[in-house]
């Protein structure tokens, strides 16, 4: 099978590595243009570009795919299929029909649940017991295409968006290889999605990370996990915004929302709308991530102090 691969971040790079390992003929790699990164804000190639160059694959980095010249370059590859994984650019309708077998997307949810940009985080926020990978035949809609293959994965109680991302990257890589093998042998057929069961995974915003202490401890604990590593849960304490990297639910009922009930080596216990949240790992502006026991050494708080609500 002759492939075009389109992807940008680490999630995509895992799939590209699996396709290379499986021996597919990857004639062209599409990835987004290099972006400024790091303290020096130097132009940095995406993880997919780095992987492609390491294996001496041809790379194309258009700002968009609407240009007729770009589409002609894709058509000239004469690919059997295009594999798309977190590419970050819209594929216009003419591009979807260029490969002989169309474009296959590696989506990080069990479609039709969590169509959209942030399926991993939304699954954790909703308290879903499982998520997974769907290999989808792309069409003009937003993650609405026929499902070729689905692979489920349980969401562990301590999974963050980052740990779940890493697990799904591995599952997505193995799933696309399996799907292509079955597609090549004519044993894989797309099944339509049930649109009535669809949910939308809206893109994350930094503003979402600010903790509302009137919410339940269970909901806030999921938020801390879902926003790790972006945008990271945040809480206002006096004149500062503290980042909360790790927390767990505790059953305490006294106090008002945002009130600190306890502060010791176990953590900072804060009353919520229902229950309490034990803050286990925190970070001040410009500081390092620290376990609560170390954080409290330089930032003493006491019962009765309050976070802003």
């Amino acid at each position: 099978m002759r492939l075009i691969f389109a992807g940008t971040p680490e999630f995509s790079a895992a799939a590209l590595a699996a396709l290379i390992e499986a021996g597919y003929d990857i004639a062209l790699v599409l990835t987004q243009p290099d972006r400024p990164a790091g303290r020096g804000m130097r132009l940095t190639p995406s993880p997919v570009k780095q992987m492609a160059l390491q294996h001496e694959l041809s790379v194309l980095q258009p700002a968009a795919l609407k240009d007729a010249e770009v589409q002609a370059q894709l058509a000239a590859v004469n690919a059997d299929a295009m594999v798309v994984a977190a590419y970050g650019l819209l594929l216009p309708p003419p591009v979807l029909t260029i490969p002989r077998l169309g474009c296959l997307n590696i989506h990080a949810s069990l479609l039709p649940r969590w169509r959209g940009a942030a399926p991993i985080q939304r699954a954790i926020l909703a308290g879903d017991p499982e998520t997974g990978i769907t290999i989808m035949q792309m069409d003009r809609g937003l993650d609405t295409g026929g499902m070729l293959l689905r692979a489920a994965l349980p969401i562990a109680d301590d999974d963050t968006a980052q740990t779940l991302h890493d697990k799904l990257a591995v599952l997505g890589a193995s799933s696309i290889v399996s799907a292509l093998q079955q597609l090549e042998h004519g044993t894989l057929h797309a099944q339509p999605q049930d649109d009535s069961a669809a949910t939308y995974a809206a893109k994350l915003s930094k503003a979402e990370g600010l903790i509302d202490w009137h919410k339940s401890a269970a909901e806030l604990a999921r938020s801390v996990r879902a926003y790790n590593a972006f945008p990271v849960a945040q809480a206002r304490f006096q004149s500062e915004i503290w980042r909360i990297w790790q927390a767990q639910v505790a059953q305490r009922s006294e106090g008002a929302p945002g009130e600190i009930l306890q502060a010791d080596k176990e953590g900072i216990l804060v009353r919520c709308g229902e229950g309490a949240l034990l803050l286990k790992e925190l970070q001040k502006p410009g500081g390092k991530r620290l376990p609560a026991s170390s954080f409290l050494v330089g930032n003493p708080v006491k019962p009765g102090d309050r976070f802003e609500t």
Side-chain angles (χ1 to χ4, degrees):
M1 256 187 162
R2 187 171 175 82
L3 303 177
I4 297 172
F5 183 87
T8 299
E10 292 289 351
F11 182 88
S12 317
L16 178 57
L19 293 172
I20 293 170
E21 178 67 23
Y24 283 96
D25 176 14
I26 302 168
L28 181 65
V29 172
L30 295 175
T31 191
Q32 289 203 39
D34 297 357
R35 308 289 190 199
R39 290 187 176 181
M41 295 302 287
R42 294 181 178 179
L43 286 178
T44 304
S46 71
V48 162
K49 181 179 179 180
Q50 294 177 46
M51 175 73 66
L53 294 179
Q54 179 184 341
H55 292 274
E56 300 181 340
L57 301 175
S58 296
V59 175
L60 186 63
Q61 297 177 271
L65 298 177
K66 295 180 180 180
D67 186 81
E69 183 178 343
V70 173
Q71 293 179 15
Q73 288 178 279
L74 299 181
V77 171
N78 196 28
D80 294 302
M82 181 189 296
V83 173
V84 182
Y87 179 32
L89 290 181
L90 179 68
L91 270 61
V95 171
L96 295 174
T97 61
I98 287 175
R100 180 175 62 88
L101 297 173
C103 300
L104 280 59
N105 180 244
I106 307 172
H107 187 76
S109 81
L110 295 174
L111 291 172
R113 188 160 178 79
W114 302 127
R115 296 172 177 172
I120 297 173
Q121 294 87 347
R122 300 300 173 195
I124 294 175
L125 285 170
D128 290 359
E130 67 174 5
T131 184
I133 291 290
T134 304
I135 306 299
M136 178 192 67
Q137 187 86 51
M138 297 179 71
D139 62 13
R140 297 188 181 199
L142 176 64
D143 300 328
T144 56
M147 301 177 295
L148 294 166
L149 184 150
R150 294 167 92 237
L153 179 75
I155 300 177
D157 291 340
D158 60 350
D159 263 329
T160 65
Q162 186 62 57
T163 62
L164 194 54
H165 164 281
D166 295 347
K167 293 176 183 179
L168 288 169
V170 174
L171 183 60
S174 61
S175 295
I176 189 60
V177 171
S178 176
L180 286 172
Q181 289 172 345
Q182 294 178 59
L183 194 64
E184 192 170 10
H185 290 94
T187 59
L188 195 64
H189 306 284
Q191 301 296 319
Q193 296 186 38
D194 178 2
D195 291 339
S196 67
T199 55
Y200 178 60
K203 184 178 179 180
L204 296 176
S205 68
K206 289 185 178 180
E208 286 185 66
L210 188 61
I211 288 178
D212 177 358
W213 294 105
H214 291 90
K215 294 182 178 180
S216 71
E219 186 175 358
L220 292 180
R222 292 197 300 270
S223 297
V224 171
R225 293 164 48 216
Y227 299 145
N228 179 349
F230 176 86
V232 185
Q234 302 169 38
R236 288 196 180 101
F237 184 79
Q238 297 177 355
S239 61
E240 294 183 324
I241 293 182
W242 293 356
R243 304 176 98 187
I244 313 301
W245 288 93
Q246 186 180 354
Q248 64 187 50
V249 175
Q251 299 303 320
R252 292 280 289 272
S253 58
E254 71 271 23
E259 182 179 347
I260 294 174
L261 306 179
Q262 176 183 320
D264 54 29
K265 64 180 181 179
E266 297 300 321
I268 301 173
L269 188 64
V270 188
R271 179 72 166 106
C272 304
E274 180 182 332
L277 194 66
L278 185 64
L279 311 183
K280 303 285 288 183
E281 186 179 3
L282 304 93
Q283 181 182 19
K284 286 189 66 173
K288 298 179 179 180
R289 293 170 56 173
L290 295 171
S293 56
S294 300
F295 183 87
L296 286 169
V297 172
N299 304 279
V301 299
K302 63 184 183 301
D305 289 345
R306 294 188 65 175
F307 285 95
E308 293 182 26
T309 57

